[in-house]
Amino acid sequence: MQTLIDILSQPAILVALIALTGLLAQKKNMSDTVKGTTKTFVGFLVISAGAGILESALVPFGAMFEQAFNVTGVVPNNEAIVALALSEYGTNTALIMFFGMVVNILIARFTRFKYIFLTGHHTLYLAAMLAVIMVVAGFDTIGLIAAGSVALGIVMTLSPAILQPFMRQLTGNDNVALGHFSAVGYAASALVGKLFKGSKENSTENINFPKGLGFLRDSTVSIALTMVVMYVIVALFAGPAYIEAELSEGTNFLVFSLIQAGSFAAGVFIILSGVRLVLSEIVPAFKGISTKLVPNAKPALDVPIIYPYAPNAVLIGFFASFLGGIFSMIIMIFTGGVIILPGVVPHFFTGAAAGVFGNATGGFKGSVIGSFVNGVVISFLPVFLMPVLGDLGFANTTFSDADFGVSGIFFGSLANYAGPVAITISLIVILALMAIPVKKKKTETR
């Protein structure tokens, strides 16, 4: 069972297998098949390596922030909460994950929603959350796996579907979808951006710097310098004693901050390189699956695939989302109850994407305000999610991204108030609605 989890939760292996299947379906020759599969595999490993560097640079920043401003509370972190869930619900999670992916493919095959979700680790996270919720609901083992799998397949389909209109606007084509369970936050950012009627003239990518600051047009340089400023400011507030004793293993706190800021910029650079490599291979390979197995299917890929479309918006979105998290935290402090601390990792990955979508629809203002809204959304949703997670809701961490909150609150509320019957009926109704074909309007001829 652990082997199944290991395979299905690794995007590099999962997407390489999909690419291999697509290339074989197109009857490509051995050379093209090996090349396409290998480059897809390596490309996703490059993205994962970049993401790992980013996270290792952001984690100390979060610790420094908490120390600097003396705040404590719940830190949303998918990896931490899933580790707790897997210790008790590992088998159920693996089965829900596997059959949920089957349901996703079946929905894509037989309905108008042609999205195949390929972000394996996010699929694992949602499977773990659904396993917990279905236990709380009172399902027996078979019912738990069946209901969890159908629920997972539905969310895997609807999450990229709600974002596809904005993906078409962003990418200029309909070849690829976004497979990342924070679509609600991204859609909110894009809709906020529409209020500002953005254009290329006010895009984050067309920021006019004075001639003396022309070097800031290079996204790697601007990201590195901006993060240096942020790290040094927070480090000064946190104090050298704490950083050198707890984080840097004795390295001078300013040197440590410079290295972490530079590592952050390096992580972004690596991710952007990996994305270009993957997109050049996976989209053509996926045509084999679209032709043979699921007509017109679109691969829903992990969130870094959109970063190259607006590198400046990536950094702007991160900061704006983080500010939204701080704003939300202050409100929670004054209103009492659970305090959700702004997790730096989720605010970067979701805030960056929200910034890109907000910029696509509303330029610079859309990027800033849309990402701020995303920060508020992913701060308050966990407050309402925690009570429906049973004993797991009392942990000092919880799920971070918006779609976990929305789907968890929906199914968890049904579980708490009406049990298995209500969840079963809701799943049947949703599937029935998804299966309804939409008639295309006929164009009038004169």
Side-chain angles (χ1 to χ4, degrees):
M1 195 59 67
Q2 184 59 43
T3 302
L4 182 65
I5 292 178
D6 289 344
I7 292 173
L8 296 180
S9 62
Q10 291 295 326
I13 296 176
L14 182 63
V15 179
L17 290 173
I18 293 291
L20 175 62
T21 303
L23 291 166
L24 290 175
Q26 295 178 79
K27 298 180 179 179
K28 293 287 187 179
N29 61 42
M30 178 64 73
S31 175
D32 289 341
T33 300
V34 171
K35 185 186 77 169
T37 303
T38 303
K39 289 180 74 173
T40 301
F41 177 64
V42 172
F44 262 85
L45 288 178
V46 170
I47 294 172
S48 297
I53 293 172
L54 271 177
E55 290 195 26
S56 65
L58 287 171
V59 168
F61 184 86
M64 288 158 56
F65 179 86
E66 292 178 39
Q67 173 70 18
F69 302 105
N70 193 29
V71 290
T72 57
V74 175
V75 181
N77 183 283
N78 292 327
E79 289 75 14
I81 192 72
V82 168
L84 295 175
L86 288 179
S87 64
E88 188 172 349
Y89 307 105
T91 300
N92 289 337
T93 295
L95 291 170
I96 288 173
M97 181 178 182
F98 176 77
F99 288 110
M101 295 175 76
V102 173
V103 172
N104 175 218
I105 293 170
L106 290 174
I107 291 173
R109 177 66 180 85
F110 295 107
T111 76
R112 66 186 186 276
F113 296 95
K114 304 297 183 181
Y115 305 97
I116 297 181
F117 195 97
L118 297 177
T119 308
H121 63 290
H122 256 220
T123 307
L124 171 67
Y125 300 162
L126 187 56
M129 186 185 77
L130 289 170
V132 174
I133 289 174
M134 298 309 167
V135 167
V136 172
F139 280 99
D140 59 21
T141 302
I142 294 177
L144 182 152
I145 295 167
S149 300
V150 174
L152 178 60
I154 288 172
V155 180
M156 289 171 73
T157 307
L158 292 182
S159 178
I162 66 173
L163 271 180
Q164 197 58 21
F166 303 117
M167 280 294 288
R168 285 194 292 268
Q169 183 173 349
L170 176 66
T171 64
N173 59 60
D174 204 23
N175 295 333
V176 69
L178 186 62
H180 195 258
F181 287 136
S182 203
V184 170
Y186 306 151
S189 180
L191 291 171
V192 167
K194 279 191 168 186
L195 300 176
F196 300 97
K197 298 179 180 178
S199 64
K200 292 181 180 180
E201 286 71 27
N202 64 10
S203 168
T204 57
E205 308 314 296
N206 293 330
I207 295 173
N208 291 319
F209 295 102
K211 285 187 177 181
L213 299 177
F215 56 85
L216 291 176
R217 294 182 186 278
D218 187 311
S219 61
T220 302
V221 174
S222 61
I223 288 172
L225 293 179
T226 304
M227 292 308 294
V228 164
V229 173
M230 290 296 297
Y231 266 96
V232 169
I233 290 174
V234 174
L236 290 172
F237 277 98
Y242 168 77
I243 295 172
E244 292 170 13
E246 301 294 333
L247 301 176
S248 71
E249 299 181 350
T251 300
N252 178 272
F253 78 111
L254 290 178
V255 173
F256 176 75
S257 299
L258 289 174
I259 294 298
Q260 297 307 310
S263 297
F264 179 94
V268 173
F269 180 84
I270 291 170
I271 284 176
L272 298 182
S273 301
V275 168
R276 295 185 185 100
L277 181 62
V278 168
L279 288 183
S280 67
E281 298 297 330
I282 188 63
V283 173
F286 210 80
K287 289 180 180 177
I289 293 175
S290 298
T291 303
K292 302 290 184 181
L293 303 176
V294 184
N296 302 316
K298 298 176 183 63
L301 303 175
D302 201 0
V303 69
I305 65 164
I306 69 167
Y307 294 169
Y309 291 97
N312 290 341
V314 167
L315 192 62
I316 291 168
F318 165 44
F319 288 135
S321 183
F322 192 69
L323 287 174
I326 295 173
F327 171 77
S328 302
M329 179 188 71
I330 293 171
I331 292 177
M332 293 174 197
I333 291 173
F334 282 103
T335 57
V338 177
I339 297 174
I340 303 295
L341 299 183
V344 181
V345 173
H347 277 290
F348 172 75
F349 284 102
T350 70
V356 173
F357 280 113
N359 178 65
T361 59
F364 178 83
K365 291 181 180 178
S367 182
V368 172
I369 300 176
S371 302
F372 183 90
V373 169
N374 173 79
V376 173
V377 168
I378 67 170
S379 297
F380 279 99
L381 280 176
V383 174
F384 301 101
L385 174 64
M386 292 173 70
V388 306
L389 294 179
D391 293 339
L392 203 64
F394 296 100
N396 61 353
T397 186
T398 189
F399 293 93
S400 59
D401 298 1
D403 293 358
F404 293 107
V406 172
S407 57
I409 292 166
F410 176 74
F411 290 114
S413 298
L414 290 175
N416 283 344
Y417 295 112
V421 174
I423 291 179
T424 302
I425 292 173
S426 70
L427 293 174
I428 293 171
V429 170
I430 294 170
L431 284 175
L433 291 173
M434 293 176 71
I436 297 173
V438 175
K439 294 182 179 179
K440 293 184 179 179
K441 292 182 179 180
K442 294 182 179 180
T443 54
E444 294 184 2
T445 56
R446 294 185 180 181

